[in-house]
């Protein structure tokens, strides 16, 4: 489940226990579908752990450049938000 999305990354929470072997530096592929389309987003795990705002354990994913362009198409409201 994607709990937070920005122009450069996402905070991802697993519906089951986050596997111990998922760690910083791991490459990721996330399939996202919105009313604006569906696409695979590629990125790298930048951190993993507990996020107090969401009260969940997950991981922060930094998207690669091509996926940054894709996420702005899938979430056009990001272009209107500052930073």
């Amino acid at each position: 489940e994607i709990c937070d999305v920005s122009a450069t990354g996402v905070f991802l929470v697993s519906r089951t226990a986050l596997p111990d072997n998922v760690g910083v530096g791991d490459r990721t592929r996330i399939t996202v579908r919105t009313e604006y389309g569906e696409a695979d987003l590629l990125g790298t795990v930048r951190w993993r752990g507990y996020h107090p705002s969401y009260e969940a354990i997950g991981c922060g994913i930094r998207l690669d450049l091509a996926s940054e362009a894709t996420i702005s198409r899938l979430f056009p409201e990001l272009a209107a938000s500052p930073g």
Side-chain angles (χ1 to χ4, degrees):
E1 179 177 339
I2 294 176
C3 290
D4 192 9
V5 61
S6 74
T8 60
V10 298
F11 175 63
L12 188 67
V13 173
S14 177
R15 290 182 182 209
T16 61
L18 188 63
D20 289 338
N21 64 345
V22 173
V24 173
D26 287 348
R27 295 290 295 157
T28 63
R29 178 186 310 258
I30 306 163
T31 301
V32 176
R33 182 179 324 137
T34 71
E35 64 185 276
Y36 301 102
E38 179 176 325
D40 287 339
L41 302 174
L42 304 175
T44 304
V45 175
R46 301 304 291 168
W47 65 272
R48 71 169 272 155
Y50 182 75
H51 195 300
S53 295
Y54 300 105
E55 298 181 353
I57 296 172
C59 50
I61 310 290
R62 171 72 163 97
L63 299 175
D64 65 14
L65 291 177
S67 292
E68 286 182 18
T70 301
I71 207 163
S72 66
R73 177 178 56 81
L74 295 175
F75 297 93
E77 59 274 11
L78 291 174
S81 67

